[in-house]
Amino acid sequence: CRVCDQMPVTGRLEMHEIKSRARLRGHAPEEIFCTTNCLMLCSTCHREVTEHRLYLIPTTPYGADGDILVRPREDR
């Protein structure tokens, strides 16, 4: 998992797109499902990201191929 750096003992690894499929609607599948846009997360971290409790921020132009900053949601 790119967030917790653990291999799940139970559960599975899941693919997460940095730019969502909805945001990239109309683009070629090669642009959506590529290593610069997709990364593997355990099911627990994936849920945290999709429920907007964690944010993944690419720090290089290489997207998911580069370093990813993981930020918790800041409740106000």
Side-chain angles (χ1 to χ4, degrees):
C1 174
R2 290 285 300 271
V3 171
C4 68
D5 202 30
Q6 299 293 313
M7 191 66 148
V9 176
T10 60
R12 62 183 186 268
L13 288 173
E14 300 174 352
M15 182 182 68
H16 176 74
E17 299 90 21
I18 294 173
K19 293 180 185 173
S20 70
R21 287 173 281 195
R23 184 173 166 197
L24 295 175
R25 185 170 284 125
H27 289 248
E30 297 82 26
E31 293 179 56
I32 301 169
F33 303 107
C34 60
T35 60
T36 57
N37 192 43
C38 297
L39 45 83
M40 299 306 289
L41 303 175
C42 67
S43 56
T44 301
C45 290
H46 194 205
R47 185 174 12 350
E48 294 293 304
V49 171
T50 57
E51 293 178 359
H52 305 287
R53 289 191 287 267
L54 286 178
Y55 295 99
L56 305 179
I57 305 161
T59 60
T60 70
Y62 304 111
D65 282 340
D67 291 332
I68 300 290
L69 180 64
V70 179
R71 292 283 249 227
R73 178 179 69 192
E74 295 178 8
D75 291 326
R76 296 179 183 202

